[in-house]
Amino acid sequence: MFCSYTEPQPAISAFREASFGHGQFEVVNASYAKWSWHRNQDDESVQADSVSITNLASNPACNRLEI
């Protein structure tokens, strides 16, 4: 059983899920990527979480040089 993994939950851990699965990292283009977590539930891949990642170098507001 996963009791020793889920309890006690340390302060640095926001969420814990005792399940198996895989992560998927997709590079869409030079400015954008997506990471998603898929848990295996009943032999099916179910997306449980995702995050979008934006390259700040592609944002003109982040490339202004102010002196």
Side-chain angles (χ1 to χ4, degrees):
M1 185 132 208
F2 295 104
C3 292
S4 62
Y5 172 75
T6 57
E7 296 296 333
Q9 180 174 335
I12 61 168
S13 180
F15 177 76
R16 295 176 136 207
E17 181 176 340
S19 66
F20 293 98
H22 65 277
Q24 182 176 4
F25 185 73
E26 176 186 3
V27 177
V28 178
N29 57 37
S31 303
Y32 178 76
K34 179 182 174 185
W35 182 88
S36 57
W37 165 253
H38 302 258
R39 71 172 171 261
N40 296 334
Q41 184 168 338
D42 299 329
D43 296 326
E44 291 186 31
S45 176
V46 178
Q47 182 174 323
D49 198 5
S50 68
V51 64
S52 298
I53 303 165
T54 303
N55 181 356
L56 293 178
S58 65
N59 184 338
C62 294
N63 288 320
R64 292 188 304 204
L65 180 61
E66 295 182 22
I67 299 176

